[in-house]
Amino acid sequence: AQSVAQPEDQVNVAEGNPLTVKCTYSVSGNPYLFWYVQYPNRGLQFLLKYITGDNLVKGSYGFEAEFNKSQTSFHLKKPSALVSDSALYFCAVRDMNYGQNFVFGPGTRLSVLP
Amino acid sequence: DAGVIQSPRHEVTEMGQEVTLRCKPISGHDYLFWYRQTMMRGLELLIYFNNNVPIDDSGMPEDRFSAKMPNASFSTLKIQPSEPRDSAVYFCASSLGTGVQPQHFGDGTRLSIL
């Protein structure tokens, strides 16, 4: 079975500092990994994905994520946080052996403080 | 490009009433997903369709819930009769089945059952 864990409910970071939002996953086959962001009263917006190849994936709004197979992790990062990055972030996994179904993590609320 | 369109954005109704949520996926997308989001349970997949055919409805909570996709550009999620515990935000998402594509979400319907 597929599963995703986001060990932190809340991450606080000062504006201008680097941010990391953590994600670990469990799948039986090879994973496809995704990050989404949700702003208040909006749907989830796609940020980036990992399929194969380079372990460092770059996405929208300056975000990037690092895939680590040995640690089964896919942490989201940004070198310099903006107040406007404050939102709810979801990690998702799709097992290549299990069709189109995504499994989403519980979400991490990021607060960037001015 | 028009994204996934959901209607209504908000629905308030009394217990026992029938509720119908509507979704128009992105043109050309062949997968459609219905999710429910609550504070307690996070984001839950209810059902998904491929080429208008339901593929996995194991997440549908009970017989009061039903979903249809009569054509490639329209889907409904119906709750009859509604109960207060059905109060949640319901999201529709669509994706392309070729390759590994992200799901694109609508802005959701906030449902309140009194």
Side-chain angles (χ1 to χ4, degrees), chain A residues 32 34 36 38 41-44 46 49 51 88 90 94 99-102 104, chain B residues 9 31 33 35 37 43 45 48 91 97 99-103 105-107 110:
Chain A
Y32 301 134
F34 302 79
Y36 284 80
Q38 185 181 28
N41 300 314
R42 300 297 305 275
L44 279 68
F46 168 69
K49 67 181 178 184
I51 302 174
L88 192 56
F90 291 92
R94 182 187 142 195
Q100 295 285 334
N101 188 7
F102 283 32
F104 285 85
Chain B
R9 288 297 315 276
Y31 280 84
F33 305 82
Y35 290 90
Q37 185 179 38
L43 196 64
L45 176 67
Y48 76 92
F91 288 104
V100 181
Q101 302 296 337
Q103 294 178 17
F105 283 72
D107 282 336
R110 183 172 297 275

Side-chain angles (χ1 to χ4, degrees), chain A residues 26-94:
Chain A
S26 174
V27 295
S28 57
N30 289 326
Y32 301 134
L33 294 154
F34 302 79
W35 275 102
Y36 284 80
V37 61
Q38 185 181 28
Y39 297 102
N41 300 314
R42 300 297 305 275
L44 279 68
Q45 296 177 32
F46 168 69
L47 281 178
L48 51 80
K49 67 181 178 184
Y50 171 83
I51 302 174
T52 187
D54 194 346
N55 289 342
L56 187 64
V57 178
K58 294 189 182 297
S60 306
Y61 312 119
F63 284 94
E64 57 191 27
E66 186 168 12
F67 172 66
N68 187 317
K69 186 172 184 178
S70 63
Q71 297 186 4
T72 61
S73 67
F74 189 56
H75 300 332
L76 181 70
K77 300 181 180 184
K78 188 173 182 181
S80 179
L82 300 173
V83 172
S84 57
D85 292 330
S86 299
L88 192 56
Y89 289 81
F90 291 92
C91 181
V93 66
R94 182 187 142 195

Side-chain angles (χ1 to χ4, degrees), chain B residues 36-38 84-90 109-112:
Chain B
R36 178 171 67 177
Q37 185 179 38
T38 61
R85 59 191 169 124
D86 302 330
S87 298
V89 182
Y90 290 81
T109 296
R110 183 172 297 275
L111 178 63
S112 297

Side-chain angles (χ1 to χ4, degrees), chain B residues 53-110:
Chain B
V53 176
I55 302 301
D56 183 355
D57 66 353
S58 59
M60 296 287 261
E62 46 197 277
D63 291 346
R64 298 184 297 107
F65 285 69
S66 62
K68 294 182 180 180
M69 193 165 185
N71 58 62
S73 59
F74 183 64
S75 178
T76 60
L77 178 68
K78 189 172 292 188
I79 309 173
Q80 167 63 20
S82 58
E83 296 183 3
R85 59 191 169 124
D86 302 330
S87 298
V89 182
Y90 290 81
F91 288 104
C92 175
S94 69
S95 70
L96 271 173
T98 53
V100 181
Q101 302 296 337
Q103 294 178 17
H104 298 266
F105 283 72
D107 282 336
T109 296
R110 183 172 297 275

